[in-house]
Every structure is written in structure tokens, then in C-alpha cells.
């Protein structure tokens, strides 16, 4: 069974490259890149996710944030607990600690950037 919510940990560009091009382009794809996603945006996302796709089998939502408040994560948690069957989600964060354990438990890890390659030697 495919997962409806996938997690990518790393930089926006590196993680976005892991999302199939067909899922990040077109009328049924939405890329949301923010420093911080607020609660109102999370609630609006849930509303949009419940609408039917126009030309694809699913609507794809790529949410790339540096940080998410606990309130916003709880709104996303509700969405991921009972997701619309016609929605696919990708969550991009710079580090695991940006997410609450309860939200992480609803996500399937797609990609984790090897940060050791970016660490200075010594």
C-alpha cells in the first residue's frame, strides 16, 4: 500500500529532486515553500486536499518548511490520520527535530540527506 504522506529531510532543492517530476508539475500539483507554515494555511490545505483532482489520479501537495509550530503540526496530524484518497503529500524539513514525534509517526521516510558530506572536516 503506497503511503499518502512522505517525509524528506534535508535542503529544499535536494528533497524536491526526490519527488517525481510528474508529481510536482501540472495543475494537480502544489508546492508550498515557507519559512514557517501557519495554522490557517494548514487548515486551508486540508480543504484543498479534499477536492477532486482535475487531470491526474491524485492531487500532490509538497510542503517545504524550515519550521512548523506545534499547532500547525497538530492540524496536519488530523489531515494525515484520515487523508483524502485522492491526495498525496510530501513534507520537506531541514531536520527530524523540526517535527513532533506524533506527526513523524504518520509519515513514511522517503529521503534523508547525508549531512556528514556537508560537515567541515576536523
Amino acid at each position: 500500500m503506497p503511503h499518502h504522506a512522505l517525509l524528506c529531510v534535508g535542503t529544499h532543492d535536494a528533497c524536491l529532486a526526490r519527488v517525481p517530476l510528474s508529481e510536482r508539475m501540472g495543475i494537480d500539483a502544489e508546492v508550498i515553500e515557507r519559512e514557517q507554515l501557519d495554522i490557517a494555511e494548514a487548515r486551508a490545505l486540508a480543504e484543498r486536499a479534499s477536492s477532486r483532482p482535475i487531470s491526474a489520479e491524485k492531487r500532490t501537495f509538497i510542503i517545504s518548511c524550515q519550521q512548523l509550530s506545534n499547532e500547525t503540526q497538530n492540524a496536519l496530524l488530523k489531515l494525515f490520520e484520515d487523508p483524502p484518497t485522492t491526495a498525496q503529500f510530501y513534507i520537506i524539513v531541514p531536520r527530524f527535530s523540526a517535527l513532533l514525534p506524533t506527526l513523524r509517526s504518520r509519515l513514511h521516510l522517503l529521503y534523508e540527506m547525508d549531512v556528514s558530506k556537508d560537515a567541515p572536516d576536523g
Side-chain angles (χ1 to χ4, degrees):
M1 172 186 227
H3 288 274
H4 61 277
L6 301 168
L7 174 63
C8 293
V9 179
T11 65
H12 172 79
D13 291 339
C15 290
L16 193 60
R18 301 295 173 166
V19 178
L21 188 60
S22 62
E23 293 189 38
R24 55 186 154 112
M25 303 289 287
I27 198 162
D28 289 313
E30 186 175 337
V31 179
I32 303 162
E33 186 179 3
R34 304 270 187 280
E35 178 68 28
Q36 181 165 338
L37 189 76
D38 66 34
I39 184 72
E41 287 178 295
R43 289 181 179 145
L45 173 68
E47 235 177 81
R48 289 193 310 276
S50 65
S51 65
R52 295 171 92 46
I54 296 167
S55 66
E57 284 184 33
K58 292 186 176 211
R59 296 191 71 191
T60 303
F61 299 91
I62 302 165
I63 304 141
S64 179
C65 296
Q66 294 297 306
Q67 53 189 322
L68 295 158
S69 71
N70 290 355
E71 183 179 58
T72 299
Q73 290 187 58
N74 285 325
L76 291 174
L77 181 62
K78 288 179 185 174
L79 174 61
F80 297 157
E81 283 175 339
D82 188 21
T85 58
T86 57
Q88 174 71 54
F89 301 93
Y90 291 88
I91 306 298
I92 299 172
V93 292
R95 63 203 167 286
F96 278 108
S97 62
L99 298 175
L100 295 170
T102 51
L103 182 58
R104 274 196 314 258
S105 73
R106 297 284 186 251
L107 304 171
H108 178 76
L109 182 63
L110 175 66
Y111 171 74
E112 181 180 6
M113 181 179 247
D114 183 357
V115 292
S116 65
K117 290 179 183 171
D118 298 329
D121 294 326

